[in-house]
Amino acid sequence: MNHNQEVGLRGEEIAAKWLEQQGMIIVERNWHGKHGELDIVALDGPTLRIVEVKTRIEGNEDTLSSSLNSNKLRSICRTAQEFLVKSNGLQSQEVYFDLIVVLFTLDGSWETEYIPCFFYPQW
């Protein structure tokens, strides 16, 4: 596993714990389908939340817009549709697409920013 993968997994762990602290129930993590991967699928009461996690290191020039382009969003939608078909009990849930950004700072701490409903899919 390379450094970027390790940082990404650590960010996803922080994001999952943060969601649980908010009262959400994690249904799946790193769910793989034909079209891609869903980082976190969580239940927030009656709402199903598909949560994309982006982990950044302070000072890194990589922007969110470059990693969340239209191809990536389309992949998330297709994978979410596949997930919904395969998870019979969750099909009737209201679905939202959220984003959590975990920023590791130079002093070793981190900041978490949660953006609910960061995009609306074209089903």
Side-chain angles (χ1 to χ4, degrees), residues 7 10-11 14 55-58 102-106 109-110:
V7 170
R10 187 166 173 227
I14 290 167
T55 306
R56 297 289 178 263
I57 298 173
E58 188 176 32
V102 178
L103 176 67
F104 289 106
T105 60
L106 297 177
S109 63
W110 62 83

Side-chain angles (χ1 to χ4, degrees), residues 88-103:
N88 296 329
L90 299 175
Q91 286 183 4
S92 61
Q93 301 289 323
E94 191 170 17
V95 179
Y96 290 105
F97 292 81
D98 300 348
L99 173 66
I100 292 184
V101 179
V102 178
L103 176 67

Side-chain angles (χ1 to χ4, degrees), residues 39-88:
D39 291 337
I40 299 174
V41 180
L43 281 172
D44 183 12
T47 302
L48 187 69
R49 295 194 174 273
I50 308 294
V51 183
E52 179 70 10
V53 179
K54 291 296 175 193
T55 306
R56 297 289 178 263
I57 298 173
E58 188 176 32
N60 187 339
E61 299 301 320
D62 187 21
T63 63
L64 283 177
S65 60
S66 67
S67 62
L68 290 173
N69 59 37
S70 61
N71 289 338
K72 176 64 175 175
L73 298 180
R74 192 171 17 263
S75 171
I76 292 170
C77 289
R78 288 179 178 165
T79 306
Q81 287 175 319
E82 183 181 357
F83 173 81
L84 292 170
V85 167
K86 290 184 176 182
S87 62
N88 296 329

